[in-house]
Amino acid sequence: MTALPSSCDVLVIGAGPAGSSAAALLHKAGFSVAVVEKQKFPRFVIGESLLPRVMDLLGEADLLEAASARGYIVKRGALFLRKEERCDFSFADQFTPGWDHTWQVPRADFDQTLASAVEARGVPFAWEHEVVAADFSGAPTCTVADLSGAKQTVRSRFVIDASGYGRALPRLLDLDLPSNFPPRKAVFAHLRGDHRKPGPDENRIWIVCLASGAWAWIIPFSNGLTSFGVVGPLEAFAGYPQEPAACLRAVMAGDPNFERLRHTEFALEPRSLGGYACSVKRLHGPGFALVGNATEFLDPVFSSGVTLALESANRAAKTVIRQLRGETVDWEQDYAAYMRRGINVFRTFGTTWYDGSLPRILFSLAPADSVKRMMCSVLAGYVWDLDNPFVREHERKVAQVARLSS
Ligand SMILES: Cc1cc2nc3c(=O)[nH]c(=O)nc-3n(C[C@H](O)[C@H](O)[C@H](O)COP(=O)(O)OP(=O)(O)OC[C@H]3O[C@@H](n4cnc5c(N)ncnc54)[C@H](O)[C@@H]3O)c2cc1C
């Protein structure tokens, strides 16, 4: 039996962070909303390191308390390592006023926590139901199939597509666009037995630059497991074995920063993911908006994915609310242009990470450098603060500081 109504104000596709938070905001504003989710939660998804901006957005959706109760490891900054060099960012020391911490979350637990909190408010979630067709020629109508293939239609006044890697509406409406980010590859797993050395760096996220041209993350969780992954251009993987587990072992053996991982075992089968960068022709259309990873995903290096997912869900939900209340809204300006501004800051940081200029800056920053505080706010996800020169003029500022760092 499905909890899915035959009509509602807003249908949300996908119950990841973007979908759950959009549903929470719409429900809070008094609209009827239903969520269709293809999988059964908890389910694995990658994307475990959050940014402080997430805390503002979870707060607005009244989801902060539920997540806080899970006791996730508190993330107060990020530590970049290159052999014995280090660059240490603390979110307490940043340009933009904002949160000084966030969390490192096993996403299966985090996503289920958010979804359960919204479901408990009376929002219907149709688990293991998939949107398989959508018609926007009149009132938005989505066709939803259950596991047996049985179909039903849901009419709504608006559809928010938060289907992430599933890319429901981009596929159904032919909105997919190849990303202009070069194809990269990621191999990752959860580890048991990480020998965390007690001290200030014990529970922190480490981002390690590797001689191969790839980089790796170490993200400790409060459940005792540690997430480990390696990301890079395809050519950076040429010297590693193809098979994911052997690849991760080779990466671990190749850098002294991974000493702590040498005696670990895999708690989650190592996986490999390629060509995950994606884009779309447009972020909205008559009767629908795309949010989260259903829009554009660039690269995991600055952990921006969940932040952008929540930001776009927040912005789209607020725009829908205004529209359904009868206000005139300009989706291009109010939503798409706003999102692109923030995404483009991360695009500059991502591009210059891989061309080597950003690591050059990071590893030459003096601890009290004012530039470091400005860059820290970008790394905290405050990419809409136009007072910050590294937001307002991201390309020019990064290029300028890179020149001075050479
Ligand atoms: C290697 C790698 C590392 C990453 N690391 C980070 C990180 O450290 N921090 C970070 O913030 N981000 C990271 N990301 C990005 C992160 O994974 C995503 O940005 C984030 O999960 C997006 O959330 P979402 O809510 O948009 O989508 P998702 O979390 O993918 O949720 C979408 C949901 O929609 C459902 N769905 C799909 N199709 C349909 C359909 N047709 N009908 C119904 N339901 C459907 C899916 O089952 C899924 O549950 C990383 C990405 C990669 C590739």
Side-chain angles (χ1 to χ4, degrees):
M1 266 261 287
T2 167
L4 201 55
S6 58
S7 69
C8 57
D9 288 324
V10 183
L11 185 75
V12 175
I13 311 174
S20 289
S21 62
L25 289 164
L26 289 156
H27 176 74
K28 188 178 171 181
F31 292 99
S32 63
V33 49
V35 181
V36 180
E37 167 54 54
K38 189 171 158 177
Q39 300 179 69
K40 190 171 170 187
F41 281 21
R43 56 90 176 89
F44 174 83
V45 65
I46 196 66
E48 298 143 335
S49 159
L50 306 183
L51 304 182
R53 173 69 185 144
V54 158
M55 310 304 259
D56 300 293
L57 298 162
L58 290 178
E60 276 196 52
D62 298 333
L63 291 169
L64 201 49
E65 210 179 312
S68 190
R70 300 302 299 160
Y72 300 126
I73 281 188
V74 172
K75 174 184 167 186
R76 296 192 184 280
L79 182 58
F80 291 84
L81 299 164
R82 189 168 62 183
K83 292 274 172 59
E84 59 291 334
E85 291 177 284
R86 51 189 279 150
C87 171
D88 196 345
F89 282 99
S90 161
F91 296 133
D93 195 13
Q94 57 159 311
F95 178 87
T96 305
W99 281 77
D100 67 358
H101 70 275
T102 184
W103 299 301
Q104 292 155 201
V105 298
R107 284 285 302 281
D109 189 272
F110 180 71
D111 290 14
Q112 185 179 30
T113 298
L114 302 188
S116 302
V118 180
E119 200 174 17
R121 292 172 200 170
V123 173
F125 277 61
W127 300 103
E128 296 182 296
H129 281 66
E130 180 179 4
V131 169
V132 291
D135 180 1
F136 292 93
S137 55
T141 306
C142 287
T143 305
V144 178
D146 68 13
L147 288 177
S148 73
K151 291 182 181 155
Q152 74 177 89
T153 55
V154 183
R155 275 170 158 258
S156 57
R157 296 167 70 193
F158 204 89
V159 176
I160 290 187
D161 181 8
S163 61
Y165 300 100
R167 307 184 67 70
L169 292 189
R171 280 188 300 103
L172 294 170
L173 304 180
D174 189 26
L175 299 175
D176 265 322
L177 201 63
S179 172
N180 54 11
F181 248 52
R184 301 203 170 94
K185 176 174 161 175
V187 183
F188 48 86
H190 287 175
L191 307 175
R192 187 176 293 112
D194 170 16
H195 191 70
R196 301 176 192 170
K197 198 167 141 216
D201 296 340
E202 179 180 356
N203 285 328
R204 306 190 58 193
I205 174 171
W206 293 11
I207 297 125
V208 183
C209 298
L210 306 174
S212 61
W215 61 274
W217 76 71
I218 297 178
I219 305 175
F221 296 139
S222 55
N223 63 10
L225 302 182
T226 292
S227 178
F228 178 60
V230 56
V231 183
L234 303 182
E235 57 276 16
F237 283 85
Y240 301 130
Q242 273 283 89
E243 195 272 316
C247 171
L248 291 181
R249 289 291 175 210
V251 172
M252 282 178 208
D255 193 293
N257 283 307
F258 303 133
E259 185 58 43
R260 58 188 268 187
L261 305 179
R262 297 273 156 81
H263 302 294
T264 50
E265 55 189 62
F266 294 116
L268 173 91
E269 196 54 34
R271 300 169 187 213
S272 155
L273 202 61
Y276 40 74
C278 54
S279 191
V280 277
K281 291 176 188 160
R282 52 200 166 97
L283 296 184
H284 58 91
F288 72 87
L290 312 178
V291 301
N293 254 43
T295 60
E296 175 159 19
F297 179 69
L298 301 174
D299 194 87
V301 62
F302 295 114
S303 303
S304 59
V306 173
T307 306
L308 292 174
L310 291 175
E311 187 85 44
S312 55
N314 177 292
R315 191 79 183 183
K318 285 178 181 164
T319 310
V320 178
I321 289 167
R322 286 174 43 227
Q323 178 170 317
L324 296 186
R325 285 183 178 154
E327 284 179 43
T328 305
V329 299
D330 178 346
W331 275 94
E332 193 51 35
Q333 273 313 310
D334 299 349
Y335 177 59
Y338 172 85
M339 283 313 300
R340 285 203 178 95
R341 276 209 303 281
I343 291 170
N344 284 341
V345 179
F346 280 118
R347 188 190 308 279
T348 294
F349 272 58
T351 305
T352 53
W353 171 264
Y354 286 100
D355 74 17
S357 44
L358 200 70
R360 204 162 65 233
I361 296 175
L362 297 188
F363 292 111
S364 62
L365 283 172
D369 200 325
S370 62
V371 158
K372 189 171 178 188
R373 299 181 71 243
M374 294 171 191
M375 295 183 86
C376 186
S377 285
V378 171
L379 302 190
Y382 291 106
V383 286
W384 282 271
D385 175 16
L386 292 175
D387 288 338
N388 184 348
F390 276 79
V391 169
R392 194 174 60 241
E393 301 176 272
H394 44 94
E395 278 182 282
R396 198 180 73 78
K397 288 304 290 182
V398 172
Q400 182 189 49
V401 180
R403 271 197 305 279
L404 297 173
S405 310
S406 16

PDB file of all heavy atoms in Angstrom, residues 8-41:
ATOM      1  N   CYS A   8      -1.590  16.664  -4.983  1.00  0.00           N
ATOM      2  CA  CYS A   8      -1.015  17.457  -3.889  1.00  0.00           C
ATOM      3  C   CYS A   8      -0.523  18.780  -4.482  1.00  0.00           C
ATOM      4  O   CYS A   8      -0.496  18.935  -5.704  1.00  0.00           O
ATOM      5  CB  CYS A   8       0.137  16.711  -3.207  1.00  0.00           C
ATOM      6  SG  CYS A   8       1.461  16.225  -4.317  1.00  0.00           S
ATOM      7  N   ASP A   9      -0.144  19.695  -3.612  1.00  0.00           N
ATOM      8  CA  ASP A   9       0.381  20.966  -4.133  1.00  0.00           C
ATOM      9  C   ASP A   9       1.729  20.741  -4.814  1.00  0.00           C
ATOM     10  O   ASP A   9       1.944  21.199  -5.930  1.00  0.00           O
ATOM     11  CB  ASP A   9       0.536  21.981  -2.984  1.00  0.00           C
ATOM     12  CG  ASP A   9      -0.807  22.495  -2.483  1.00  0.00           C
ATOM     13  OD1 ASP A   9      -1.721  22.664  -3.311  1.00  0.00           O
ATOM     14  OD2 ASP A   9      -0.947  22.695  -1.257  1.00  0.00           O
ATOM     15  N   VAL A  10       2.616  20.045  -4.096  1.00  0.00           N
ATOM     16  CA  VAL A  10       3.968  19.861  -4.654  1.00  0.00           C
ATOM     17  C   VAL A  10       4.385  18.397  -4.513  1.00  0.00           C
ATOM     18  O   VAL A  10       4.293  17.815  -3.421  1.00  0.00           O
ATOM     19  CB  VAL A  10       5.007  20.759  -3.936  1.00  0.00           C
ATOM     20  CG1 VAL A  10       6.388  20.607  -4.573  1.00  0.00           C
ATOM     21  CG2 VAL A  10       4.579  22.228  -3.973  1.00  0.00           C
ATOM     22  N   LEU A  11       4.847  17.824  -5.610  1.00  0.00           N
ATOM     23  CA  LEU A  11       5.418  16.475  -5.569  1.00  0.00           C
ATOM     24  C   LEU A  11       6.938  16.613  -5.595  1.00  0.00           C
ATOM     25  O   LEU A  11       7.482  17.335  -6.439  1.00  0.00           O
ATOM     26  CB  LEU A  11       4.964  15.657  -6.775  1.00  0.00           C
ATOM     27  CG  LEU A  11       5.438  14.200  -6.731  1.00  0.00           C
ATOM     28  CD1 LEU A  11       4.626  13.404  -5.717  1.00  0.00           C
ATOM     29  CD2 LEU A  11       5.359  13.538  -8.090  1.00  0.00           C
ATOM     30  N   VAL A  12       7.609  15.949  -4.654  1.00  0.00           N
ATOM     31  CA  VAL A  12       9.068  15.982  -4.595  1.00  0.00           C
ATOM     32  C   VAL A  12       9.589  14.610  -5.011  1.00  0.00           C
ATOM     33  O   VAL A  12       9.146  13.588  -4.484  1.00  0.00           O
ATOM     34  CB  VAL A  12       9.554  16.331  -3.162  1.00  0.00           C
ATOM     35  CG1 VAL A  12      11.072  16.247  -3.077  1.00  0.00           C
ATOM     36  CG2 VAL A  12       9.076  17.728  -2.752  1.00  0.00           C
ATOM     37  N   ILE A  13      10.517  14.599  -5.955  1.00  0.00           N
ATOM     38  CA  ILE A  13      11.115  13.334  -6.414  1.00  0.00           C
ATOM     39  C   ILE A  13      12.448  13.154  -5.705  1.00  0.00           C
ATOM     40  O   ILE A  13      13.379  13.946  -5.906  1.00  0.00           O
ATOM     41  CB  ILE A  13      11.343  13.331  -7.936  1.00  0.00           C
ATOM     42  CG1 ILE A  13      10.086  13.781  -8.686  1.00  0.00           C
ATOM     43  CG2 ILE A  13      11.782  11.948  -8.411  1.00  0.00           C
ATOM     44  CD1 ILE A  13      10.293  13.932 -10.206  1.00  0.00           C
ATOM     45  N   GLY A  14      12.557  12.118  -4.849  1.00  0.00           N
ATOM     46  CA  GLY A  14      13.826  11.824  -4.171  1.00  0.00           C
ATOM     47  C   GLY A  14      13.818  12.292  -2.734  1.00  0.00           C
ATOM     48  O   GLY A  14      13.379  13.405  -2.426  1.00  0.00           O
ATOM     49  N   ALA A  15      14.297  11.421  -1.829  1.00  0.00           N
ATOM     50  CA  ALA A  15      14.280  11.724  -0.390  1.00  0.00           C
ATOM     51  C   ALA A  15      15.676  11.911   0.177  1.00  0.00           C
ATOM     52  O   ALA A  15      15.916  11.683   1.359  1.00  0.00           O
ATOM     53  CB  ALA A  15      13.545  10.606   0.357  1.00  0.00           C
ATOM     54  N   GLY A  16      16.634  12.325  -0.669  1.00  0.00           N
ATOM     55  CA  GLY A  16      17.959  12.698  -0.158  1.00  0.00           C
ATOM     56  C   GLY A  16      17.844  14.028   0.585  1.00  0.00           C
ATOM     57  O   GLY A  16      16.737  14.525   0.805  1.00  0.00           O
ATOM     58  N   PRO A  17      18.978  14.615   0.969  1.00  0.00           N
ATOM     59  CA  PRO A  17      18.931  15.882   1.716  1.00  0.00           C
ATOM     60  C   PRO A  17      18.149  16.969   0.986  1.00  0.00           C
ATOM     61  O   PRO A  17      17.396  17.719   1.608  1.00  0.00           O
ATOM     62  CB  PRO A  17      20.400  16.272   1.842  1.00  0.00           C
ATOM     63  CG  PRO A  17      21.173  15.047   1.587  1.00  0.00           C
ATOM     64  CD  PRO A  17      20.350  14.141   0.747  1.00  0.00           C
ATOM     65  N   ALA A  18      18.307  17.047  -0.339  1.00  0.00           N
ATOM     66  CA  ALA A  18      17.606  18.088  -1.092  1.00  0.00           C
ATOM     67  C   ALA A  18      16.093  17.864  -1.022  1.00  0.00           C
ATOM     68  O   ALA A  18      15.324  18.789  -0.728  1.00  0.00           O
ATOM     69  CB  ALA A  18      18.078  18.099  -2.541  1.00  0.00           C
ATOM     70  N   GLY A  19      15.666  16.628  -1.272  1.00  0.00           N
ATOM     71  CA  GLY A  19      14.230  16.333  -1.289  1.00  0.00           C
ATOM     72  C   GLY A  19      13.584  16.504   0.074  1.00  0.00           C
ATOM     73  O   GLY A  19      12.527  17.134   0.213  1.00  0.00           O
ATOM     74  N   SER A  20      14.228  15.972   1.106  1.00  0.00           N
ATOM     75  CA  SER A  20      13.634  16.053   2.447  1.00  0.00           C
ATOM     76  C   SER A  20      13.545  17.496   2.923  1.00  0.00           C
ATOM     77  O   SER A  20      12.558  17.906   3.526  1.00  0.00           O
ATOM     78  CB  SER A  20      14.451  15.226   3.449  1.00  0.00           C
ATOM     79  OG  SER A  20      14.264  13.856   3.179  1.00  0.00           O
ATOM     80  N   SER A  21      14.603  18.282   2.648  1.00  0.00           N
ATOM     81  CA  SER A  21      14.570  19.658   3.160  1.00  0.00           C
ATOM     82  C   SER A  21      13.566  20.499   2.375  1.00  0.00           C
ATOM     83  O   SER A  21      12.878  21.342   2.956  1.00  0.00           O
ATOM     84  CB  SER A  21      15.970  20.280   3.139  1.00  0.00           C
ATOM     85  OG  SER A  21      16.452  20.344   1.830  1.00  0.00           O
ATOM     86  N   ALA A  22      13.433  20.265   1.073  1.00  0.00           N
ATOM     87  CA  ALA A  22      12.412  20.994   0.302  1.00  0.00           C
ATOM     88  C   ALA A  22      11.032  20.655   0.833  1.00  0.00           C
ATOM     89  O   ALA A  22      10.182  21.535   1.044  1.00  0.00           O
ATOM     90  CB  ALA A  22      12.524  20.639  -1.182  1.00  0.00           C
ATOM     91  N   ALA A  23      10.797  19.355   1.074  1.00  0.00           N
ATOM     92  CA  ALA A  23       9.484  18.924   1.588  1.00  0.00           C
ATOM     93  C   ALA A  23       9.208  19.560   2.952  1.00  0.00           C
ATOM     94  O   ALA A  23       8.087  20.003   3.230  1.00  0.00           O
ATOM     95  CB  ALA A  23       9.449  17.398   1.685  1.00  0.00           C
ATOM     96  N   ALA A  24      10.242  19.642   3.794  1.00  0.00           N
ATOM     97  CA  ALA A  24      10.059  20.231   5.130  1.00  0.00           C
ATOM     98  C   ALA A  24       9.637  21.693   5.024  1.00  0.00           C
ATOM     99  O   ALA A  24       8.721  22.142   5.723  1.00  0.00           O
ATOM    100  CB  ALA A  24      11.365  20.116   5.928  1.00  0.00           C
ATOM    101  N   LEU A  25      10.273  22.445   4.135  1.00  0.00           N
ATOM    102  CA  LEU A  25       9.962  23.873   4.003  1.00  0.00           C
ATOM    103  C   LEU A  25       8.561  24.086   3.434  1.00  0.00           C
ATOM    104  O   LEU A  25       7.822  24.969   3.880  1.00  0.00           O
ATOM    105  CB  LEU A  25      11.006  24.552   3.104  1.00  0.00           C
ATOM    106  CG  LEU A  25      12.397  24.689   3.737  1.00  0.00           C
ATOM    107  CD1 LEU A  25      13.443  24.994   2.680  1.00  0.00           C
ATOM    108  CD2 LEU A  25      12.399  25.776   4.811  1.00  0.00           C
ATOM    109  N   LEU A  26       8.172  23.267   2.471  1.00  0.00           N
ATOM    110  CA  LEU A  26       6.841  23.401   1.862  1.00  0.00           C
ATOM    111  C   LEU A  26       5.749  23.037   2.866  1.00  0.00           C
ATOM    112  O   LEU A  26       4.719  23.705   2.961  1.00  0.00           O
ATOM    113  CB  LEU A  26       6.753  22.506   0.622  1.00  0.00           C
ATOM    114  CG  LEU A  26       7.601  23.014  -0.555  1.00  0.00           C
ATOM    115  CD1 LEU A  26       7.962  21.885  -1.499  1.00  0.00           C
ATOM    116  CD2 LEU A  26       6.854  24.119  -1.296  1.00  0.00           C
ATOM    117  N   HIS A  27       5.997  21.989   3.621  1.00  0.00           N
ATOM    118  CA  HIS A  27       5.034  21.559   4.644  1.00  0.00           C
ATOM    119  C   HIS A  27       4.893  22.646   5.708  1.00  0.00           C
ATOM    120  O   HIS A  27       3.777  22.992   6.119  1.00  0.00           O
ATOM    121  CB  HIS A  27       5.529  20.253   5.261  1.00  0.00           C
ATOM    122  CG  HIS A  27       4.678  19.751   6.378  1.00  0.00           C
ATOM    123  ND1 HIS A  27       3.432  19.172   6.178  1.00  0.00           N
ATOM    124  CD2 HIS A  27       4.877  19.762   7.721  1.00  0.00           C
ATOM    125  CE1 HIS A  27       2.918  18.834   7.344  1.00  0.00           C
ATOM    126  NE2 HIS A  27       3.768  19.191   8.300  1.00  0.00           N
ATOM    127  N   LYS A  28       6.020  23.218   6.108  1.00  0.00           N
ATOM    128  CA  LYS A  28       6.015  24.276   7.125  1.00  0.00           C
ATOM    129  C   LYS A  28       5.206  25.486   6.639  1.00  0.00           C
ATOM    130  O   LYS A  28       4.560  26.170   7.429  1.00  0.00           O
ATOM    131  CB  LYS A  28       7.480  24.679   7.377  1.00  0.00           C
ATOM    132  CG  LYS A  28       7.731  25.615   8.527  1.00  0.00           C
ATOM    133  CD  LYS A  28       9.238  25.849   8.644  1.00  0.00           C
ATOM    134  CE  LYS A  28       9.587  26.930   9.625  1.00  0.00           C
ATOM    135  NZ  LYS A  28      11.036  27.158   9.711  1.00  0.00           N
ATOM    136  N   ALA A  29       5.230  25.722   5.328  1.00  0.00           N
ATOM    137  CA  ALA A  29       4.506  26.871   4.770  1.00  0.00           C
ATOM    138  C   ALA A  29       3.029  26.565   4.556  1.00  0.00           C
ATOM    139  O   ALA A  29       2.280  27.403   4.056  1.00  0.00           O
ATOM    140  CB  ALA A  29       5.159  27.281   3.448  1.00  0.00           C
ATOM    141  N   GLY A  30       2.626  25.344   4.886  1.00  0.00           N
ATOM    142  CA  GLY A  30       1.193  25.004   4.833  1.00  0.00           C
ATOM    143  C   GLY A  30       0.752  24.358   3.536  1.00  0.00           C
ATOM    144  O   GLY A  30      -0.456  24.203   3.307  1.00  0.00           O
ATOM    145  N   PHE A  31       1.664  23.956   2.685  1.00  0.00           N
ATOM    146  CA  PHE A  31       1.269  23.309   1.427  1.00  0.00           C
ATOM    147  C   PHE A  31       1.276  21.791   1.578  1.00  0.00           C
ATOM    148  O   PHE A  31       2.047  21.246   2.377  1.00  0.00           O
ATOM    149  CB  PHE A  31       2.208  23.741   0.297  1.00  0.00           C
ATOM    150  CG  PHE A  31       2.035  25.191  -0.046  1.00  0.00           C
ATOM    151  CD1 PHE A  31       2.908  26.148   0.442  1.00  0.00           C
ATOM    152  CD2 PHE A  31       0.951  25.610  -0.816  1.00  0.00           C
ATOM    153  CE1 PHE A  31       2.721  27.496   0.161  1.00  0.00           C
ATOM    154  CE2 PHE A  31       0.758  26.952  -1.103  1.00  0.00           C
ATOM    155  CZ  PHE A  31       1.645  27.905  -0.612  1.00  0.00           C
ATOM    156  N   SER A  32       0.415  21.131   0.780  1.00  0.00           N
ATOM    157  CA  SER A  32       0.429  19.674   0.810  1.00  0.00           C
ATOM    158  C   SER A  32       1.547  19.195  -0.110  1.00  0.00           C
ATOM    159  O   SER A  32       1.679  19.654  -1.248  1.00  0.00           O
ATOM    160  CB  SER A  32      -0.926  19.103   0.362  1.00  0.00           C
ATOM    161  OG  SER A  32      -1.200  19.460  -0.964  1.00  0.00           O
ATOM    162  N   VAL A  33       2.371  18.310   0.430  1.00  0.00           N
ATOM    163  CA  VAL A  33       3.535  17.847  -0.319  1.00  0.00           C
ATOM    164  C   VAL A  33       3.676  16.339  -0.138  1.00  0.00           C
ATOM    165  O   VAL A  33       3.319  15.801   0.920  1.00  0.00           O
ATOM    166  CB  VAL A  33       4.810  18.630   0.136  1.00  0.00           C
ATOM    167  CG1 VAL A  33       4.947  18.670   1.624  1.00  0.00           C
ATOM    168  CG2 VAL A  33       6.081  18.097  -0.488  1.00  0.00           C
ATOM    169  N   ALA A  34       4.124  15.660  -1.170  1.00  0.00           N
ATOM    170  CA  ALA A  34       4.383  14.217  -1.080  1.00  0.00           C
ATOM    171  C   ALA A  34       5.751  13.946  -1.686  1.00  0.00           C
ATOM    172  O   ALA A  34       6.183  14.652  -2.607  1.00  0.00           O
ATOM    173  CB  ALA A  34       3.315  13.441  -1.838  1.00  0.00           C
ATOM    174  N   VAL A  35       6.430  12.927  -1.147  1.00  0.00           N
ATOM    175  CA  VAL A  35       7.780  12.588  -1.619  1.00  0.00           C
ATOM    176  C   VAL A  35       7.759  11.176  -2.201  1.00  0.00           C
ATOM    177  O   VAL A  35       7.233  10.250  -1.569  1.00  0.00           O
ATOM    178  CB  VAL A  35       8.803  12.655  -0.459  1.00  0.00           C
ATOM    179  CG1 VAL A  35      10.213  12.332  -0.962  1.00  0.00           C
ATOM    180  CG2 VAL A  35       8.783  14.025   0.216  1.00  0.00           C
ATOM    181  N   VAL A  36       8.317  11.030  -3.393  1.00  0.00           N
ATOM    182  CA  VAL A  36       8.451   9.704  -4.024  1.00  0.00           C
ATOM    183  C   VAL A  36       9.921   9.327  -3.984  1.00  0.00           C
ATOM    184  O   VAL A  36      10.768  10.080  -4.474  1.00  0.00           O
ATOM    185  CB  VAL A  36       7.986   9.753  -5.500  1.00  0.00           C
ATOM    186  CG1 VAL A  36       8.139   8.381  -6.147  1.00  0.00           C
ATOM    187  CG2 VAL A  36       6.556  10.229  -5.596  1.00  0.00           C
ATOM    188  N   GLU A  37      10.256   8.196  -3.404  1.00  0.00           N
ATOM    189  CA  GLU A  37      11.664   7.779  -3.289  1.00  0.00           C
ATOM    190  C   GLU A  37      11.826   6.360  -3.816  1.00  0.00           C
ATOM    191  O   GLU A  37      11.180   5.427  -3.346  1.00  0.00           O
ATOM    192  CB  GLU A  37      12.132   7.887  -1.829  1.00  0.00           C
ATOM    193  CG  GLU A  37      13.462   7.211  -1.507  1.00  0.00           C
ATOM    194  CD  GLU A  37      14.649   7.634  -2.390  1.00  0.00           C
ATOM    195  OE1 GLU A  37      14.913   8.828  -2.491  1.00  0.00           O
ATOM    196  OE2 GLU A  37      15.286   6.726  -2.985  1.00  0.00           O
ATOM    197  N   LYS A  38      12.726   6.233  -4.763  1.00  0.00           N
ATOM    198  CA  LYS A  38      12.964   4.969  -5.472  1.00  0.00           C
ATOM    199  C   LYS A  38      13.472   3.852  -4.549  1.00  0.00           C
ATOM    200  O   LYS A  38      13.140   2.683  -4.726  1.00  0.00           O
ATOM    201  CB  LYS A  38      14.017   5.277  -6.528  1.00  0.00           C
ATOM    202  CG  LYS A  38      14.296   4.235  -7.527  1.00  0.00           C
ATOM    203  CD  LYS A  38      15.209   4.895  -8.561  1.00  0.00           C
ATOM    204  CE  LYS A  38      16.004   3.920  -9.356  1.00  0.00           C
ATOM    205  NZ  LYS A  38      16.807   4.621 -10.363  1.00  0.00           N
ATOM    206  N   GLN A  39      14.292   4.228  -3.579  1.00  0.00           N
ATOM    207  CA  GLN A  39      14.929   3.205  -2.751  1.00  0.00           C
ATOM    208  C   GLN A  39      14.271   3.124  -1.378  1.00  0.00           C
ATOM    209  O   GLN A  39      13.411   3.928  -1.033  1.00  0.00           O
ATOM    210  CB  GLN A  39      16.406   3.515  -2.572  1.00  0.00           C
ATOM    211  CG  GLN A  39      17.172   3.564  -3.890  1.00  0.00           C
ATOM    212  CD  GLN A  39      18.632   3.892  -3.679  1.00  0.00           C
ATOM    213  OE1 GLN A  39      19.371   3.083  -3.136  1.00  0.00           O
ATOM    214  NE2 GLN A  39      19.047   5.074  -4.087  1.00  0.00           N
ATOM    215  N   LYS A  40      14.756   2.127  -0.617  1.00  0.00           N
ATOM    216  CA  LYS A  40      14.328   1.993   0.769  1.00  0.00           C
ATOM    217  C   LYS A  40      15.475   2.529   1.617  1.00  0.00           C
ATOM    218  O   LYS A  40      16.630   2.173   1.374  1.00  0.00           O
ATOM    219  CB  LYS A  40      14.111   0.497   1.046  1.00  0.00           C
ATOM    220  CG  LYS A  40      13.453   0.196   2.333  1.00  0.00           C
ATOM    221  CD  LYS A  40      13.113  -1.288   2.344  1.00  0.00           C
ATOM    222  CE  LYS A  40      12.675  -1.698   3.725  1.00  0.00           C
ATOM    223  NZ  LYS A  40      12.498  -3.123   3.825  1.00  0.00           N
ATOM    224  N   PHE A  41      15.199   3.389   2.573  1.00  0.00           N
ATOM    225  CA  PHE A  41      16.267   3.926   3.431  1.00  0.00           C
ATOM    226  C   PHE A  41      16.398   3.040   4.651  1.00  0.00           C
ATOM    227  O   PHE A  41      15.405   2.457   5.076  1.00  0.00           O
ATOM    228  CB  PHE A  41      15.932   5.365   3.857  1.00  0.00           C
ATOM    229  CG  PHE A  41      16.224   6.408   2.790  1.00  0.00           C
ATOM    230  CD1 PHE A  41      16.328   6.075   1.449  1.00  0.00           C
ATOM    231  CD2 PHE A  41      16.392   7.737   3.140  1.00  0.00           C
ATOM    232  CE1 PHE A  41      16.596   7.034   0.477  1.00  0.00           C
ATOM    233  CE2 PHE A  41      16.653   8.711   2.186  1.00  0.00           C
ATOM    234  CZ  PHE A  41      16.755   8.368   0.849  1.00  0.00           C
TER     235      PHE A  41
END
